[in-house]
């Protein structure tokens, strides 16, 4: 493992940097303002991202920007206009609840058995008391309100797999090779892709398509607002999104 | 000799009192709660208009956020190569950007609920204060990093769902700095603020 040794070096370096002003402060009796300032400058190391595919990624990033602005945003706007807010929240909750197998399997593969139990409790509470998952009743149960949600990408991270290169995928957006592999596994764990509707009388192929499209569209308003905020406050949107994605996923793996 | 001794005792006692008083006033959690309450009070006083909110919220944020050290940390070691004028300009512009971004996060409608967890000690004068924000049926993990500077706890970073505001700008400033030094950073800040001003009208 490369990562821990790198971290140790970083902490050692930070520790050394921190002792310099202390020593100087003791000599001068008073903390030297410039010494404190110098320690401040070095406190945040640049988030390191392995991005050998940057030219490709930047092209994909631009392509996605266009897709969001000219295709997904109009879709999202009409959806918000047509469907009232409670129904929109209900749909988001329903599809999130349905993805329970992804969270359960990931918890089990990481050996987080207590969390697997909590996820199961959440699934039953929301499915039965929350009318099929449309109402997230679990938010009112303190022990179930903040269960960190796991996926296979995080599982690979916990197992110590390297992230691999940063990878911006068309439509899906930022990711890494590790998270993309996780996403493929998640796809098969999602009941939406189990073709269960085929067993219903009078099945048409477009049933599955409609359900899957509804899932995607229901998440759009939130994702686009997140994306807009990130883009508006960014000085270099590509670097900003990349840094935010890597930090977010690193934090999720640690949880 | 006697007066000197008396003075010494007096000094010792009074400084002990001062220390106790300032320790009470400067519990980081109390300071943070005060800051959050003040900001929410402004954001949900019925006069919600994003443009004016960033103006109205500025004095509160300037009181609780340490924008000098936020800017310095976000720029990183390159800061030492800035001229004092460039440092001043960068701090002014970046402060404006952070305040606008912060004000934009408040949307009219439901007021977020906030739960505070126990502070984590990062260093003797630094704490991380984890909070959970409950907004429109979703929960977000937001942690505030605070430091004790001349007897006052002030915020120097906000970490939303594991994403540190400073670390995020640090990456962007770093790539700009490598391209064109302080001038590139100042230009990027000016361009962003000008663009936002146009689109928000």
């Amino acid at each position: 493992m490369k990562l821990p040794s790198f971290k140790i070096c970083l902490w050692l370096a930070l520790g050394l940097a921190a002792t310099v002003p202390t020593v100087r402060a003791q000599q001068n009796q008073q903390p030297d303002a410039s010494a404190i300032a110098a320690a401040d400058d070095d406190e945040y190391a640049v988030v390191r991202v392995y991005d050998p595919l940057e030219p490709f990624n930047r092209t994909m990033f631009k392509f996605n920007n266009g897709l969001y602005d000219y295709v997904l945003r109009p879709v999202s706007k009409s959806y918000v206009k047509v469907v009232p807010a409670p129904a929109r929240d209900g749909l988001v909750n329903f599809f999130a609840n349905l993805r329970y197998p992804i969270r359960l399997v990931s918890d089990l593969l990481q050996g987080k058995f207590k969390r697997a139990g909590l996820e199961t409790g959440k699934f039953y509470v929301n499915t039965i008391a929350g009318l099929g998952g449309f109402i997230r009743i679990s938010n009112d149960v303190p022990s179930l309100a903040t269960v960190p949600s796991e996926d296979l990408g995080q599982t690979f991270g916990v197992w110590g797999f390297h992230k691999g290169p940063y990878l911006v995928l068309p439509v899906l957006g930022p990711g890494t090779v590790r998270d993309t592999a996780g996403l493929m596994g998640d796809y098969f764990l999602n009941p939406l892709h189990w073709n269960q509707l085929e067993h219903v009388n009078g099945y048409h192929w477009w049933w599955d398509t409609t359900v899957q499209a509804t899932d995607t569209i229901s998440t759009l308003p939130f994702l686009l607002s997140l994306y807009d905020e990130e883009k508006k406050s960014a000085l270099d949107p590509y670097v900003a999104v990349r840094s935010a994605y890597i930090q977010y996923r690193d934090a999720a793996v640690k949880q | 000799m006697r007066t000197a001794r008396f003075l010494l005792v007096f000094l010792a006692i009074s400084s002990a009192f001062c220390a106790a008083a300032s320790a009470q006033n400067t519990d980081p959690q109390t300071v943070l709660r005060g800051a959050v309450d003040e900001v929410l009070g402004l954001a949900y006083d019925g006069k919600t208009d994003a443009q004016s909110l960033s103006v109205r919220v500025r004095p509160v944020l300037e009181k609780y956020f340490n924008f000098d050290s936020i800017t310095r940390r976000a720029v990183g070691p390159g800061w030492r190569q800035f001229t004092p004028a460039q440092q001043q300009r960068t701090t002014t512009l970046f402060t404006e950007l952070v305040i606008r971004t912060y004000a934009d996060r408040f949307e009219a409608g439901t007021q977020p609920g906030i739960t505070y967890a126990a502070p984590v000690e990062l260093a003797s004068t630094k704490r991380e204060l984890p909070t959970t924000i409950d907004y429109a049926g979703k929960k977000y993990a937001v942690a505030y990093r605070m430091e004790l500077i001349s007897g006052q706890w002030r915020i120097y970073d906000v970490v939303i769902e594991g994403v540190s505001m400073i670390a995020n700008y640090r990456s962007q400033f770093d790539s700009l700095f490598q391209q064109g030094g302080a001038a590139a950073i100042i230009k990027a800040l000016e361009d962003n603020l000008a663009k936002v001003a146009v689109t928000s009208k």
Side-chain angles (χ1 to χ4, degrees):
Chain A
M1 275 292 288
K2 247 173 158 178
L3 230 73
S5 59
F6 167 72
K7 258 188 196 157
I8 291 165
C9 289
L10 188 75
W11 284 116
L12 276 177
L14 282 176
L16 281 177
T19 50
V20 174
T22 335
V23 172
R24 281 177 65 176
Q26 279 166 351
Q27 285 167 349
N28 303 346
Q29 289 291 332
Q30 257 183 352
D32 181 351
S34 68
I36 291 174
D40 271 7
D41 302 345
D42 300 336
E43 188 178 322
Y44 283 83
V46 176
V47 177
R48 280 166 184 269
V49 184
Y50 179 50
D51 191 3
L53 304 170
E54 189 168 335
F56 167 83
N57 284 339
R58 281 198 183 259
T59 310
M60 275 305 128
F61 189 73
K62 258 188 207 153
F63 169 79
N64 284 342
N65 274 351
L67 185 77
Y68 298 154
D69 286 345
Y70 294 107
V71 183
L72 298 186
R73 198 180 307 279
V75 170
S76 172
K77 270 190 181 159
S78 346
Y79 171 71
V80 169
K81 237 182 224 169
V82 174
V83 183
R88 294 201 305 266
D89 290 345
L91 282 170
V92 169
N93 291 342
F94 171 78
F95 287 111
N97 188 52
L98 203 60
R99 284 191 288 272
Y100 158 69
I102 298 176
R103 298 187 291 268
L104 176 73
V105 170
S106 302
D107 281 335
L108 293 175
L109 289 177
Q110 294 177 37
K112 292 172 176 160
F113 299 113
K114 195 190 160 198
R115 203 172 284 180
L118 290 173
E119 279 292 354
T120 306
K122 218 173 101 180
F123 178 71
Y124 277 103
V125 165
N126 288 334
T127 306
I128 295 165
L131 309 175
F134 281 93
I135 308 165
R136 198 174 304 190
I137 301 277
S138 62
N139 267 2
D140 302 330
V141 184
S143 65
L144 300 180
T146 50
V147 186
S149 113
E150 301 285 351
D151 56 45
L152 287 180
Q154 290 174 55
T155 307
F156 297 153
V158 169
W159 288 353
F161 290 10
H162 198 274
K163 281 189 202 78
Y166 180 65
L167 188 63
V168 182
L169 295 172
V171 190
L172 293 173
T176 56
V177 167
R178 183 179 77 196
D179 284 340
T180 307
L183 218 56
M184 286 192 242
D186 292 343
Y187 180 92
F188 293 106
L189 288 174
N190 187 342
L192 276 191
H193 306 123
W194 291 352
N195 301 328
Q196 286 306 301
L197 289 175
E198 279 174 13
H199 307 300
V200 181
N201 251 350
Y203 170 81
H204 285 286
W205 63 269
W206 51 264
W207 287 16
D208 271 321
T209 315
T210 309
V211 173
Q212 285 166 21
T214 311
D215 177 20
T216 308
I217 294 168
S218 70
T219 59
L220 280 183
F222 175 68
L223 286 179
L224 284 173
S225 76
L226 206 71
Y227 166 81
D228 285 345
E229 258 175 31
E230 193 59 49
K231 207 174 140 188
K232 203 172 160 191
S233 61
L235 302 169
D236 181 340
Y238 176 78
V239 175
V241 169
R242 186 178 68 183
S243 159
Y245 178 80
I246 296 292
Q247 287 186 66
Y248 171 72
R249 290 298 285 178
D250 282 351
V253 168
K254 274 185 210 141
Q255 262 187 341
Chain B
M1 198 63 200
R2 228 172 134 187
T3 36
R5 223 181 186 172
F6 170 75
L7 261 176
L8 223 70
V9 172
F10 176 75
L11 269 175
I13 292 173
S14 59
S15 63
F17 264 109
C18 286
S22 68
Q24 260 184 350
N25 290 336
T26 58
D27 161 39
Q29 178 115 283
T30 315
V31 176
L32 180 65
R33 278 173 193 266
V36 169
D37 289 347
E38 266 186 66
V39 170
L40 289 183
L42 281 174
Y44 295 95
D45 60 358
K47 295 181 255 174
T48 37
D49 166 22
Q51 191 64 34
S52 75
L53 181 63
S54 74
V55 177
R56 284 185 299 149
V57 92
R58 178 181 265 271
V60 181
L61 296 186
E62 278 180 337
K63 186 163 63 176
Y64 292 106
F65 280 72
N66 192 350
F67 285 113
D68 289 341
S69 73
I70 288 175
T71 312
R72 214 164 51 222
R73 284 186 168 102
V75 172
W79 184 250
R80 278 165 250 160
Q81 293 169 37
F82 282 46
T83 65
Q86 286 172 329
Q87 293 182 343
Q88 183 62 46
R89 183 82 183 128
T90 307
T91 308
T92 309
L93 292 169
F94 190 51
T95 303
E96 178 69 26
L97 178 61
V98 171
I99 290 176
R100 279 197 192 179
T101 307
Y102 193 84
D104 277 347
R105 305 244 156 172
F106 295 98
E107 284 168 40
T110 43
Q111 185 165 336
I114 295 159
T115 349
Y116 298 85
V120 180
E121 189 170 321
L122 300 174
S124 61
T125 58
K126 282 182 192 151
R127 301 281 184 282
E128 182 164 301
L129 290 95
T131 69
T132 307
I133 295 189
D134 202 331
Y135 182 71
K138 285 197 176 69
K139 282 174 195 286
Y140 304 93
V142 176
Y144 295 85
R145 293 198 178 137
M146 301 179 80
E147 64 186 331
L148 187 63
I149 288 186
S150 32
Q152 259 196 314
W153 284 101
R154 296 177 84 189
I155 300 164
Y156 73 91
D157 196 7
V158 184
V159 185
I160 303 173
E161 290 289 334
V163 182
S164 142
M165 181 184 78
I166 291 190
N168 205 328
Y169 280 108
R170 178 86 183 78
S171 308
Q172 300 175 62
F173 282 152
D174 196 66
S175 86
L176 285 164
F177 188 76
Q178 281 173 12
Q179 284 164 35
I185 289 181
I186 290 172
K187 187 172 183 306
L189 283 167
E190 282 171 345
D191 289 351
N192 181 289
L193 289 170
K195 187 182 70 196
V196 172
V198 170
T199 49
S200 62
K201 265 173 199 166

